[in-house]
Amino acid sequence: MHQQQLIGVAITGSGSALPPVALDNHGVSQLVETSDEWIASRTGIRQRRLADPTTSLVELAVEAAKGAIAMAGIAPTDLDLIVLATSTADDLFGSAGKIQVELGALQAVAFDMTAACSGFVFGLATAAQFIRTGVYRNVLLIGADILSRWVNWTDRGTCILFGDGAGAVVMQAQSSDRLLGFELRTDGTQNSSLNLKFQAEPKKLVEGVTIGQGGYQPITMNGKEVYRFAVNKVPEVLEKAAFHAHINIAEIDWLILHQANQRILDAVAERLNIPPAKVISNLANYGNTSAASIAIALDESVRQGKIQPGDIIAAAGFGAGLSWGAAIFKWGK
Ligand code: COA
């Protein structure tokens, strides 16, 4: 019987965009009772970039996308699909359509997807399905978030952590497969550990018909629970992805974790016996940029010449859902 040949996936370009304005920990300590020393020693974060009120998520996403498209050496009209991983779209109906038009990628179908800080890894796995099955050849995946708009700036347990930004990659069909393996997980029983929730006020329309109208409430988080979850679950999911990829953890050249907290990065690397020199970290400068963080760290490392074509990268995202996932891929064509 004829067996359908699955098509390989390559990640051929990256880009990133960050708002120009930085707020350092001294600035945060003017808002809440905290200090640079406390924040830096508990999280590794020194400053974060924050979008001004006129900056849209689409603008950041388009800038990151342009970098990735140029590096991949394709034209926007070559794109078949645009996936925007975000929790903070400019429009709840989706922002991917505006990105499509601003890039001039008029052939591409475009949609948003939400998996919070796991969004980039979930997006990688989602986009890969379309490529592997031969449906699309050139896919743009963007991870972008402006969480500063949803942070409670009087809550010192959360406002110290987050920053804004966007990162993007171009994924292409090719004969040799560079996406070696992935594993995705969700545990909804822990959903209440990290939320950005809609709160409905009852509004009676007519007798017997009441609807809910309201708005999204600022981020709430049980920091200890999320910390424990990340340190326990991320090594496990990386091991599963490595198993699917048929590689040993020791073969990984670079570990790019979602940039949430340096202590989480260190603990995961230590559990997996990955030396600190292989762990990519830029959270001191940007804080936790949610769906963008892995792609920004990847792009910076590629542009610095740290990550070279053929290097094996293990990426893992984790966060609200709770959700977590890992993908192992070789960089470049
Ligand atoms: N500055 C100074 N003190 C602070 C503080 C801050 N920003 N935030 C909390 N504290 C205080 C608390 O009030 C508490 O004081 P108490 O002992 O007098 O009650 C003490 O520090 C310890 O608080 P706790 O919440 O237990 O701190 P922690 O060691 O768990 O650190 C986080 C808090 C948020 C840094 C940590 O839990 C964390 O990073 N968790 C993971 C969060 C994350 O990455 N989320 C995103 C995932 S996508």
PDB file of all heavy atoms in Angstrom, residues 33-34 38 42-43 117 156-157 160-162 194 221 223-224 226-227 258 260-261 263-264 288 318-319, ligand 1:
ATOM      1  N   GLU A  33       5.781  48.498  47.078  1.00  0.00           N
ATOM      2  CA  GLU A  33       6.806  48.280  48.101  1.00  0.00           C
ATOM      3  C   GLU A  33       7.692  47.118  47.648  1.00  0.00           C
ATOM      4  O   GLU A  33       7.338  45.949  47.819  1.00  0.00           O
ATOM      5  CB  GLU A  33       6.076  47.940  49.408  1.00  0.00           C
ATOM      6  CG  GLU A  33       6.932  47.716  50.616  1.00  0.00           C
ATOM      7  CD  GLU A  33       7.263  49.034  51.310  1.00  0.00           C
ATOM      8  OE1 GLU A  33       6.415  49.928  51.275  1.00  0.00           O
ATOM      9  OE2 GLU A  33       8.376  49.116  51.869  1.00  0.00           O
ATOM     10  N   THR A  34       8.819  47.434  47.045  1.00  0.00           N
ATOM     11  CA  THR A  34       9.751  46.402  46.592  1.00  0.00           C
ATOM     12  C   THR A  34      11.101  47.065  46.379  1.00  0.00           C
ATOM     13  O   THR A  34      11.273  48.249  46.670  1.00  0.00           O
ATOM     14  CB  THR A  34       9.249  45.706  45.303  1.00  0.00           C
ATOM     15  OG1 THR A  34      10.057  44.562  45.039  1.00  0.00           O
ATOM     16  CG2 THR A  34       9.277  46.631  44.088  1.00  0.00           C
ATOM     17  N   TRP A  38      15.392  42.832  45.734  1.00  0.00           N
ATOM     18  CA  TRP A  38      14.392  41.769  45.914  1.00  0.00           C
ATOM     19  C   TRP A  38      14.014  41.175  44.549  1.00  0.00           C
ATOM     20  O   TRP A  38      14.018  39.961  44.365  1.00  0.00           O
ATOM     21  CB  TRP A  38      13.132  42.295  46.618  1.00  0.00           C
ATOM     22  CG  TRP A  38      12.274  41.192  47.183  1.00  0.00           C
ATOM     23  CD1 TRP A  38      12.286  40.731  48.463  1.00  0.00           C
ATOM     24  CD2 TRP A  38      11.298  40.401  46.480  1.00  0.00           C
ATOM     25  NE1 TRP A  38      11.389  39.695  48.609  1.00  0.00           N
ATOM     26  CE2 TRP A  38      10.768  39.466  47.405  1.00  0.00           C
ATOM     27  CE3 TRP A  38      10.838  40.357  45.173  1.00  0.00           C
ATOM     28  CZ2 TRP A  38       9.795  38.529  47.066  1.00  0.00           C
ATOM     29  CZ3 TRP A  38       9.874  39.417  44.824  1.00  0.00           C
ATOM     30  CH2 TRP A  38       9.357  38.525  45.767  1.00  0.00           C
ATOM     31  N   ARG A  42      15.044  37.337  43.318  1.00  0.00           N
ATOM     32  CA  ARG A  42      13.963  36.335  43.216  1.00  0.00           C
ATOM     33  C   ARG A  42      13.617  35.963  41.776  1.00  0.00           C
ATOM     34  O   ARG A  42      13.008  34.923  41.548  1.00  0.00           O
ATOM     35  CB  ARG A  42      12.673  36.841  43.860  1.00  0.00           C
ATOM     36  CG  ARG A  42      12.770  37.222  45.309  1.00  0.00           C
ATOM     37  CD  ARG A  42      12.842  36.002  46.199  1.00  0.00           C
ATOM     38  NE  ARG A  42      12.990  36.419  47.590  1.00  0.00           N
ATOM     39  CZ  ARG A  42      12.133  36.096  48.540  1.00  0.00           C
ATOM     40  NH1 ARG A  42      11.094  35.358  48.280  1.00  0.00           N
ATOM     41  NH2 ARG A  42      12.343  36.507  49.777  1.00  0.00           N
ATOM     42  N   THR A  43      13.945  36.864  40.835  1.00  0.00           N
ATOM     43  CA  THR A  43      13.498  36.607  39.453  1.00  0.00           C
ATOM     44  C   THR A  43      14.596  36.744  38.397  1.00  0.00           C
ATOM     45  O   THR A  43      14.464  36.219  37.296  1.00  0.00           O
ATOM     46  CB  THR A  43      12.378  37.589  39.036  1.00  0.00           C
ATOM     47  OG1 THR A  43      12.941  38.902  38.878  1.00  0.00           O
ATOM     48  CG2 THR A  43      11.259  37.642  40.057  1.00  0.00           C
ATOM     49  N   CYS A 117       1.574  31.811  27.945  1.00  0.00           N
ATOM     50  CA  CYS A 117       3.035  31.781  27.805  1.00  0.00           C
ATOM     51  C   CYS A 117       3.527  30.526  27.095  1.00  0.00           C
ATOM     52  O   CYS A 117       4.709  30.403  26.770  1.00  0.00           O
ATOM     53  CB  CYS A 117       3.689  31.909  29.176  1.00  0.00           C
ATOM     54  SG  CYS A 117       3.278  33.469  29.979  1.00  0.00           S
ATOM     55  N   ARG A 156       2.386  43.752  43.941  1.00  0.00           N
ATOM     56  CA  ARG A 156       3.834  43.520  43.803  1.00  0.00           C
ATOM     57  C   ARG A 156       4.181  42.065  43.487  1.00  0.00           C
ATOM     58  O   ARG A 156       5.304  41.760  43.096  1.00  0.00           O
ATOM     59  CB  ARG A 156       4.573  43.985  45.054  1.00  0.00           C
ATOM     60  CG  ARG A 156       4.291  43.166  46.303  1.00  0.00           C
ATOM     61  CD  ARG A 156       5.104  43.704  47.452  1.00  0.00           C
ATOM     62  NE  ARG A 156       4.868  42.931  48.670  1.00  0.00           N
ATOM     63  CZ  ARG A 156       5.505  43.126  49.794  1.00  0.00           C
ATOM     64  NH1 ARG A 156       6.424  44.082  49.878  1.00  0.00           N
ATOM     65  NH2 ARG A 156       5.246  42.392  50.853  1.00  0.00           N
ATOM     66  N   GLY A 157       3.219  41.166  43.690  1.00  0.00           N
ATOM     67  CA  GLY A 157       3.466  39.756  43.367  1.00  0.00           C
ATOM     68  C   GLY A 157       3.456  39.492  41.864  1.00  0.00           C
ATOM     69  O   GLY A 157       3.983  38.468  41.406  1.00  0.00           O
ATOM     70  N   ILE A 160       5.979  43.014  38.987  1.00  0.00           N
ATOM     71  CA  ILE A 160       7.439  42.990  38.831  1.00  0.00           C
ATOM     72  C   ILE A 160       7.879  42.108  37.667  1.00  0.00           C
ATOM     73  O   ILE A 160       9.008  42.199  37.213  1.00  0.00           O
ATOM     74  CB  ILE A 160       8.115  42.473  40.117  1.00  0.00           C
ATOM     75  CG1 ILE A 160       7.583  41.056  40.445  1.00  0.00           C
ATOM     76  CG2 ILE A 160       7.840  43.428  41.295  1.00  0.00           C
ATOM     77  CD1 ILE A 160       8.357  40.342  41.529  1.00  0.00           C
ATOM     78  N   LEU A 161       6.965  41.234  37.187  1.00  0.00           N
ATOM     79  CA  LEU A 161       7.400  40.147  36.301  1.00  0.00           C
ATOM     80  C   LEU A 161       7.318  40.452  34.810  1.00  0.00           C
ATOM     81  O   LEU A 161       8.138  39.960  34.037  1.00  0.00           O
ATOM     82  CB  LEU A 161       6.543  38.894  36.552  1.00  0.00           C
ATOM     83  CG  LEU A 161       6.609  38.297  37.959  1.00  0.00           C
ATOM     84  CD1 LEU A 161       5.598  37.159  38.079  1.00  0.00           C
ATOM     85  CD2 LEU A 161       8.004  37.793  38.280  1.00  0.00           C
ATOM     86  N   PHE A 162       6.296  41.205  34.399  1.00  0.00           N
ATOM     87  CA  PHE A 162       5.943  41.179  32.977  1.00  0.00           C
ATOM     88  C   PHE A 162       6.470  42.359  32.174  1.00  0.00           C
ATOM     89  O   PHE A 162       6.627  43.465  32.688  1.00  0.00           O
ATOM     90  CB  PHE A 162       4.418  41.089  32.831  1.00  0.00           C
ATOM     91  CG  PHE A 162       3.850  39.834  33.451  1.00  0.00           C
ATOM     92  CD1 PHE A 162       3.192  39.864  34.668  1.00  0.00           C
ATOM     93  CD2 PHE A 162       4.019  38.609  32.816  1.00  0.00           C
ATOM     94  CE1 PHE A 162       2.685  38.714  35.238  1.00  0.00           C
ATOM     95  CE2 PHE A 162       3.520  37.442  33.389  1.00  0.00           C
ATOM     96  CZ  PHE A 162       2.842  37.502  34.610  1.00  0.00           C
ATOM     97  N   LEU A 194      -3.438  31.078  37.520  1.00  0.00           N
ATOM     98  CA  LEU A 194      -2.986  32.216  36.712  1.00  0.00           C
ATOM     99  C   LEU A 194      -4.097  32.609  35.744  1.00  0.00           C
ATOM    100  O   LEU A 194      -4.444  31.818  34.860  1.00  0.00           O
ATOM    101  CB  LEU A 194      -1.699  31.810  35.964  1.00  0.00           C
ATOM    102  CG  LEU A 194      -0.950  32.838  35.140  1.00  0.00           C
ATOM    103  CD1 LEU A 194      -0.711  34.128  35.896  1.00  0.00           C
ATOM    104  CD2 LEU A 194       0.388  32.258  34.682  1.00  0.00           C
ATOM    105  N   MET A 221      -2.430  35.759  40.131  1.00  0.00           N
ATOM    106  CA  MET A 221      -1.507  34.615  40.065  1.00  0.00           C
ATOM    107  C   MET A 221      -1.171  34.121  41.454  1.00  0.00           C
ATOM    108  O   MET A 221      -0.965  34.921  42.368  1.00  0.00           O
ATOM    109  CB  MET A 221      -0.212  35.057  39.360  1.00  0.00           C
ATOM    110  CG  MET A 221       0.824  33.954  39.242  1.00  0.00           C
ATOM    111  SD  MET A 221       2.330  34.511  38.434  1.00  0.00           S
ATOM    112  CE  MET A 221       3.034  35.519  39.734  1.00  0.00           C
ATOM    113  N   GLY A 223       1.842  32.788  42.760  1.00  0.00           N
ATOM    114  CA  GLY A 223       3.242  32.692  42.323  1.00  0.00           C
ATOM    115  C   GLY A 223       3.918  31.403  42.748  1.00  0.00           C
ATOM    116  O   GLY A 223       4.637  30.776  41.963  1.00  0.00           O
ATOM    117  N   LYS A 224       3.665  30.992  43.975  1.00  0.00           N
ATOM    118  CA  LYS A 224       4.317  29.773  44.487  1.00  0.00           C
ATOM    119  C   LYS A 224       3.876  28.543  43.714  1.00  0.00           C
ATOM    120  O   LYS A 224       4.685  27.675  43.389  1.00  0.00           O
ATOM    121  CB  LYS A 224       3.990  29.603  45.976  1.00  0.00           C
ATOM    122  CG  LYS A 224       4.903  30.416  46.865  1.00  0.00           C
ATOM    123  CD  LYS A 224       5.075  29.741  48.216  1.00  0.00           C
ATOM    124  CE  LYS A 224       5.922  30.588  49.157  1.00  0.00           C
ATOM    125  NZ  LYS A 224       7.143  31.132  48.557  1.00  0.00           N
ATOM    126  N   VAL A 226       2.647  28.435  40.637  1.00  0.00           N
ATOM    127  CA  VAL A 226       3.156  28.478  39.262  1.00  0.00           C
ATOM    128  C   VAL A 226       4.643  28.107  39.238  1.00  0.00           C
ATOM    129  O   VAL A 226       5.104  27.374  38.365  1.00  0.00           O
ATOM    130  CB  VAL A 226       2.913  29.868  38.622  1.00  0.00           C
ATOM    131  CG1 VAL A 226       3.557  29.959  37.249  1.00  0.00           C
ATOM    132  CG2 VAL A 226       1.411  30.152  38.509  1.00  0.00           C
ATOM    133  N   TYR A 227       5.365  28.587  40.229  1.00  0.00           N
ATOM    134  CA  TYR A 227       6.789  28.268  40.329  1.00  0.00           C
ATOM    135  C   TYR A 227       7.002  26.750  40.458  1.00  0.00           C
ATOM    136  O   TYR A 227       7.779  26.135  39.736  1.00  0.00           O
ATOM    137  CB  TYR A 227       7.398  29.007  41.529  1.00  0.00           C
ATOM    138  CG  TYR A 227       8.884  28.852  41.628  1.00  0.00           C
ATOM    139  CD1 TYR A 227       9.730  29.767  41.034  1.00  0.00           C
ATOM    140  CD2 TYR A 227       9.445  27.774  42.304  1.00  0.00           C
ATOM    141  CE1 TYR A 227      11.109  29.619  41.098  1.00  0.00           C
ATOM    142  CE2 TYR A 227      10.811  27.611  42.385  1.00  0.00           C
ATOM    143  CZ  TYR A 227      11.642  28.538  41.787  1.00  0.00           C
ATOM    144  OH  TYR A 227      12.995  28.376  41.853  1.00  0.00           O
ATOM    145  N   HIS A 258      10.816  29.558  28.162  1.00  0.00           N
ATOM    146  CA  HIS A 258      10.024  30.770  28.347  1.00  0.00           C
ATOM    147  C   HIS A 258      10.686  31.582  29.457  1.00  0.00           C
ATOM    148  O   HIS A 258      10.993  31.057  30.527  1.00  0.00           O
ATOM    149  CB  HIS A 258       8.589  30.379  28.710  1.00  0.00           C
ATOM    150  CG  HIS A 258       7.795  31.506  29.257  1.00  0.00           C
ATOM    151  ND1 HIS A 258       7.727  32.726  28.623  1.00  0.00           N
ATOM    152  CD2 HIS A 258       7.059  31.626  30.390  1.00  0.00           C
ATOM    153  CE1 HIS A 258       6.970  33.540  29.339  1.00  0.00           C
ATOM    154  NE2 HIS A 258       6.555  32.895  30.410  1.00  0.00           N
ATOM    155  N   ALA A 260      10.551  33.383  32.167  1.00  0.00           N
ATOM    156  CA  ALA A 260       9.669  33.797  33.266  1.00  0.00           C
ATOM    157  C   ALA A 260      10.472  34.254  34.478  1.00  0.00           C
ATOM    158  O   ALA A 260      10.138  35.255  35.108  1.00  0.00           O
ATOM    159  CB  ALA A 260       8.735  32.664  33.654  1.00  0.00           C
ATOM    160  N   ASN A 261      11.503  33.485  34.790  1.00  0.00           N
ATOM    161  CA  ASN A 261      12.189  33.693  36.059  1.00  0.00           C
ATOM    162  C   ASN A 261      13.523  32.945  35.986  1.00  0.00           C
ATOM    163  O   ASN A 261      13.551  31.757  35.629  1.00  0.00           O
ATOM    164  CB  ASN A 261      11.295  33.122  37.181  1.00  0.00           C
ATOM    165  CG  ASN A 261      11.900  33.259  38.558  1.00  0.00           C
ATOM    166  OD1 ASN A 261      13.104  33.105  38.740  1.00  0.00           O
ATOM    167  ND2 ASN A 261      11.061  33.552  39.537  1.00  0.00           N
ATOM    168  N   ARG A 263      15.361  31.806  38.264  1.00  0.00           N
ATOM    169  CA  ARG A 263      15.429  30.650  39.170  1.00  0.00           C
ATOM    170  C   ARG A 263      14.766  29.433  38.533  1.00  0.00           C
ATOM    171  O   ARG A 263      15.191  28.299  38.750  1.00  0.00           O
ATOM    172  CB  ARG A 263      14.792  30.991  40.523  1.00  0.00           C
ATOM    173  CG  ARG A 263      15.711  31.894  41.366  1.00  0.00           C
ATOM    174  CD  ARG A 263      14.945  32.552  42.496  1.00  0.00           C
ATOM    175  NE  ARG A 263      14.430  31.598  43.460  1.00  0.00           N
ATOM    176  CZ  ARG A 263      13.280  31.753  44.130  1.00  0.00           C
ATOM    177  NH1 ARG A 263      12.527  32.814  43.915  1.00  0.00           N
ATOM    178  NH2 ARG A 263      12.894  30.850  44.988  1.00  0.00           N
ATOM    179  N   ILE A 264      13.700  29.654  37.756  1.00  0.00           N
ATOM    180  CA  ILE A 264      13.062  28.527  37.052  1.00  0.00           C
ATOM    181  C   ILE A 264      14.021  28.000  35.980  1.00  0.00           C
ATOM    182  O   ILE A 264      14.224  26.788  35.840  1.00  0.00           O
ATOM    183  CB  ILE A 264      11.705  28.950  36.431  1.00  0.00           C
ATOM    184  CG1 ILE A 264      10.704  29.308  37.531  1.00  0.00           C
ATOM    185  CG2 ILE A 264      11.153  27.842  35.522  1.00  0.00           C
ATOM    186  CD1 ILE A 264       9.347  29.830  37.037  1.00  0.00           C
ATOM    187  N   ASN A 288       9.160  38.963  31.626  1.00  0.00           N
ATOM    188  CA  ASN A 288       8.367  37.885  31.028  1.00  0.00           C
ATOM    189  C   ASN A 288       7.456  38.492  29.947  1.00  0.00           C
ATOM    190  O   ASN A 288       6.496  39.181  30.278  1.00  0.00           O
ATOM    191  CB  ASN A 288       7.551  37.216  32.144  1.00  0.00           C
ATOM    192  CG  ASN A 288       6.590  36.152  31.641  1.00  0.00           C
ATOM    193  OD1 ASN A 288       6.305  36.054  30.455  1.00  0.00           O
ATOM    194  ND2 ASN A 288       6.083  35.363  32.562  1.00  0.00           N
ATOM    195  N   PHE A 318       5.601  27.561  29.189  1.00  0.00           N
ATOM    196  CA  PHE A 318       4.737  27.125  30.302  1.00  0.00           C
ATOM    197  C   PHE A 318       4.011  28.334  30.841  1.00  0.00           C
ATOM    198  O   PHE A 318       4.515  29.453  30.773  1.00  0.00           O
ATOM    199  CB  PHE A 318       5.587  26.477  31.407  1.00  0.00           C
ATOM    200  CG  PHE A 318       6.744  27.323  31.865  1.00  0.00           C
ATOM    201  CD1 PHE A 318       6.605  28.225  32.913  1.00  0.00           C
ATOM    202  CD2 PHE A 318       7.976  27.241  31.245  1.00  0.00           C
ATOM    203  CE1 PHE A 318       7.662  29.016  33.326  1.00  0.00           C
ATOM    204  CE2 PHE A 318       9.053  28.036  31.648  1.00  0.00           C
ATOM    205  CZ  PHE A 318       8.888  28.928  32.696  1.00  0.00           C
ATOM    206  N   GLY A 319       2.815  28.104  31.341  1.00  0.00           N
ATOM    207  CA  GLY A 319       2.079  29.222  31.921  1.00  0.00           C
ATOM    208  C   GLY A 319       0.601  28.926  32.084  1.00  0.00           C
ATOM    209  O   GLY A 319       0.206  27.770  32.330  1.00  0.00           O
TER     210      GLY A 319
HETATM  211  N1  COA B   1       8.972  42.839  46.688  1.00  0.00           N
HETATM  212  C1  COA B   1       9.214  42.628  47.990  1.00  0.00           C
HETATM  213  N2  COA B   1       8.599  41.654  48.682  1.00  0.00           N
HETATM  214  C2  COA B   1       7.718  40.885  48.041  1.00  0.00           C
HETATM  215  C3  COA B   1       7.407  41.060  46.686  1.00  0.00           C
HETATM  216  C4  COA B   1       8.084  42.087  46.002  1.00  0.00           C
HETATM  217  N3  COA B   1       7.883  42.344  44.702  1.00  0.00           N
HETATM  218  N4  COA B   1       6.506  40.136  46.319  1.00  0.00           N
HETATM  219  C5  COA B   1       6.248  39.409  47.402  1.00  0.00           C
HETATM  220  N5  COA B   1       6.959  39.867  48.456  1.00  0.00           N
HETATM  221  C6  COA B   1       6.983  39.374  49.817  1.00  0.00           C
HETATM  222  C7  COA B   1       5.686  38.711  50.214  1.00  0.00           C
HETATM  223  O1  COA B   1       4.757  39.648  50.687  1.00  0.00           O
HETATM  224  C8  COA B   1       6.148  37.742  51.277  1.00  0.00           C
HETATM  225  O2  COA B   1       6.316  38.463  52.484  1.00  0.00           O
HETATM  226  P1  COA B   1       5.887  37.789  53.875  1.00  0.00           P
HETATM  227  O3  COA B   1       6.786  36.595  54.020  1.00  0.00           O
HETATM  228  O4  COA B   1       6.151  38.887  54.844  1.00  0.00           O
HETATM  229  O5  COA B   1       4.445  37.447  53.724  1.00  0.00           O
HETATM  230  C9  COA B   1       7.518  37.325  50.805  1.00  0.00           C
HETATM  231  O6  COA B   1       7.972  38.345  49.912  1.00  0.00           O
HETATM  232  C10 COA B   1       7.493  35.998  50.062  1.00  0.00           C
HETATM  233  O7  COA B   1       6.430  36.051  49.129  1.00  0.00           O
HETATM  234  P2  COA B   1       6.159  34.908  48.106  1.00  0.00           P
HETATM  235  O8  COA B   1       4.976  35.250  47.275  1.00  0.00           O
HETATM  236  O9  COA B   1       6.169  33.622  48.862  1.00  0.00           O
HETATM  237  O10 COA B   1       7.479  35.067  47.234  1.00  0.00           O
HETATM  238  P3  COA B   1       8.166  34.042  46.294  1.00  0.00           P
HETATM  239  O11 COA B   1       9.489  33.675  46.819  1.00  0.00           O
HETATM  240  O12 COA B   1       7.231  32.931  45.900  1.00  0.00           O
HETATM  241  O13 COA B   1       8.410  34.960  45.025  1.00  0.00           O
HETATM  242  C11 COA B   1       7.517  35.283  42.825  1.00  0.00           C
HETATM  243  C12 COA B   1       7.324  35.513  44.326  1.00  0.00           C
HETATM  244  C13 COA B   1       6.310  35.829  42.096  1.00  0.00           C
HETATM  245  C14 COA B   1       8.787  36.000  42.394  1.00  0.00           C
HETATM  246  C15 COA B   1       7.670  33.761  42.588  1.00  0.00           C
HETATM  247  O14 COA B   1       6.637  33.072  43.245  1.00  0.00           O
HETATM  248  C16 COA B   1       7.649  33.406  41.128  1.00  0.00           C
HETATM  249  O15 COA B   1       8.448  33.887  40.357  1.00  0.00           O
HETATM  250  N6  COA B   1       6.737  32.512  40.739  1.00  0.00           N
HETATM  251  C17 COA B   1       6.584  32.131  39.345  1.00  0.00           C
HETATM  252  C18 COA B   1       5.749  33.164  38.674  1.00  0.00           C
HETATM  253  C19 COA B   1       5.841  33.120  37.179  1.00  0.00           C
HETATM  254  O16 COA B   1       6.878  32.914  36.614  1.00  0.00           O
HETATM  255  N7  COA B   1       4.695  33.355  36.550  1.00  0.00           N
HETATM  256  C20 COA B   1       4.561  33.435  35.128  1.00  0.00           C
HETATM  257  C21 COA B   1       4.588  32.086  34.546  1.00  0.00           C
HETATM  258  S1  COA B   1       4.220  32.190  32.878  1.00  0.00           S
END
